Amino acid sequence: MNKIASEIIAGVIPHKMTRNRWRGLLRYGLFNIFNLKRQISKNKTTPQHYLSVCAIAKNEGPYFKEWIEWHKKMGVEKFYIYDNESTDNTKDVLQPYIDSGLVDYVYWPGSRQQLAVYDDCFNRHRFETRWLAVIDLDEFIVPVRDKSIPDFLKGMEKFSSVEINWLCYGSSGAKTNTGEPLMRRFKRHSISDTRVNRHVKSIVNPRCVSSMIGAHEAARISGKSADSHGKILRKGFRDRIPQHDVIKINHYAVKSYEEFLSKHSKGSVRTGNERGMSYFDRFDLNDIYEE
């Protein structure tokens, strides 16, 4: 079903979480959902990986090594990377990881391709991994209570998806890119209950979801979604208090001013729109220094 029709039909559902879920399911298509559920019921394959990551990226070459090495250290076994027309050194940086089998690389051209990429990733790799994290290159999953992300997920296996809150990090007043790792350069972050931190990213059981509703939530075909405390979700993420005490996603949305200007000129991989200074002001949050 096309996007306009799905928006119209889902729009009559009063409960926000239910409406969002059906928006995603209708976008995927009811006939496709029926076929998918039948496929899932027949496939008893044991996943090759416990935790994988799906990401779409454009001109993120300088940041890939730190991002991959961090998540590898935190327990990610496979990365499904979609290159959205990068013109920098992305492929060169990724090549050793591609050669080793850690990264599955797909060149994916076009504008506004984020949801199409997620659909493709789910359709290709649904039965290869027990959990699939859907994140961006400026997002680092950081376990707080556990030693690794899989340690955290072991307690979440009855759920179809787990939503983890952002903790947004500002520029720390940096004007230029020094080339040092992001997690070393940017130590100042927002107050925990700042509204932008209500945003989440999802780690999903791909056998229980069709794909993503947008960049944040999964369209479940079975089961329940939980927050990072393991509580079943009753409200949409914009209506919940952020949680950062068990696990969090460090979101380096702006980096230095120089890096933001470069990112601003690229535009969003989802909408294709350039990001103006209002975006920088919204996310340049430096309230708390982190040791």
Side-chain angles (χ1 to χ4, degrees):
M1 182 176 294
N2 65 48
K3 182 177 179 180
I4 295 175
S6 66
E7 290 290 330
I8 292 172
I9 295 172
V12 303
I13 300 173
H15 185 254
K16 186 183 296 184
M17 278 190 67
T18 305
R19 180 169 66 246
N20 283 347
R21 180 189 176 194
W22 275 99
R23 180 177 288 119
L25 293 175
L26 290 168
R27 184 188 65 81
Y28 191 79
L30 296 182
F31 181 74
N32 293 333
I33 294 289
F34 174 79
N35 285 335
L36 176 58
K37 293 184 76 169
R38 185 171 58 180
Q39 181 185 7
I40 290 170
S41 68
K42 291 181 177 180
N43 194 311
K44 306 301 180 184
T45 305
T46 300
Q48 300 166 244
H49 314 294
Y50 187 74
L51 174 61
S52 303
V53 165
C54 173
I56 180 173
K58 182 171 185 175
N59 292 335
E60 299 281 3
Y63 309 106
F64 257 115
K65 189 175 191 300
E66 179 188 5
W67 182 83
I68 287 176
E69 292 296 337
W70 171 263
H71 287 102
K72 180 182 175 183
K73 184 174 71 172
M74 290 296 108
V76 174
E77 300 170 14
K78 189 76 173 183
F79 296 84
Y80 303 114
I81 304 300
Y82 289 77
D83 181 354
N84 186 217
E85 299 183 329
S86 293
T87 56
D88 66 355
N89 65 338
T90 286
K91 187 68 182 294
D92 293 334
V93 173
L94 289 178
Q95 195 62 57
Y97 299 113
I98 297 169
D99 293 342
S100 72
L102 183 65
V103 165
D104 186 299
Y105 172 90
V106 177
Y107 183 77
W108 191 279
S111 62
R112 303 183 181 183
Q113 291 296 303
Q114 190 170 30
L115 293 183
V117 156
Y118 295 158
D119 287 346
D120 185 79
C121 187
F122 276 68
N123 290 336
R124 285 175 184 249
H125 307 296
R126 188 180 306 280
F127 300 105
E128 295 178 10
T129 188
R130 174 60 178 82
W131 290 101
L132 183 65
V134 184
I135 58 174
D136 295 327
L137 265 289
D138 58 4
E139 297 169 338
F140 289 67
I141 306 174
V142 180
V144 176
R145 184 188 62 191
D146 301 292
K147 292 183 178 180
S148 71
I149 305 167
D151 286 346
F152 164 74
L153 291 171
K154 292 291 186 183
M156 299 289 180
E157 292 191 346
K158 65 181 178 181
F159 298 111
S160 300
S161 67
V162 182
E163 296 183 4
I164 303 172
N165 284 105
W166 279 349
L167 183 61
C168 291
Y169 285 68
S171 70
S172 293
K175 300 299 182 183
T176 60
N177 178 8
T178 64
E180 291 182 288
L182 295 179
M183 299 182 86
R184 187 184 305 164
R185 281 194 285 152
F186 303 110
K187 292 288 190 177
R188 292 191 173 275
H189 62 73
S190 52
I191 297 168
S192 182
D193 63 357
T194 300
R195 190 162 185 84
V196 292
N197 289 332
R198 295 190 179 194
H199 284 78
V200 297
K201 285 301 178 77
S202 294
I203 306 179
V204 310
N205 177 350
R207 301 185 189 215
C208 296
V209 305
S210 58
S211 186
M212 300 297 292
I213 298 167
H216 305 282
E217 302 163 289
R220 290 175 290 108
I221 55 177
S222 64
K224 301 290 185 181
S225 295
D227 62 19
S228 63
H229 289 175
K231 303 296 184 183
I232 294 174
L233 297 181
R234 309 291 185 189
K235 298 178 181 179
F237 64 83
R238 289 181 177 85
D239 300 317
R240 305 194 305 263
I241 301 301
Q243 300 170 342
H244 301 116
D245 56 330
V246 176
I247 194 169
K248 59 179 181 169
I249 293 181
N250 288 12
H251 186 205
Y252 302 97
V254 295
K255 306 180 183 72
S256 68
Y257 184 69
E258 176 187 28
E259 289 163 285
F260 171 77
L261 291 180
S262 174
K263 185 174 183 178
H264 157 74
S265 66
K266 290 190 307 185
S268 167
V269 294
R270 183 181 178 194
T271 66
N273 297 327
E274 292 188 0
R275 290 166 170 165
M277 288 309 301
S278 61
Y279 185 95
F280 185 89
D281 294 338
R282 182 185 178 202
F283 285 98
D284 187 25
L285 303 171
N286 304 285
D287 304 289
I288 297 172
Y289 181 80
E290 178 182 80
E291 294 291 343

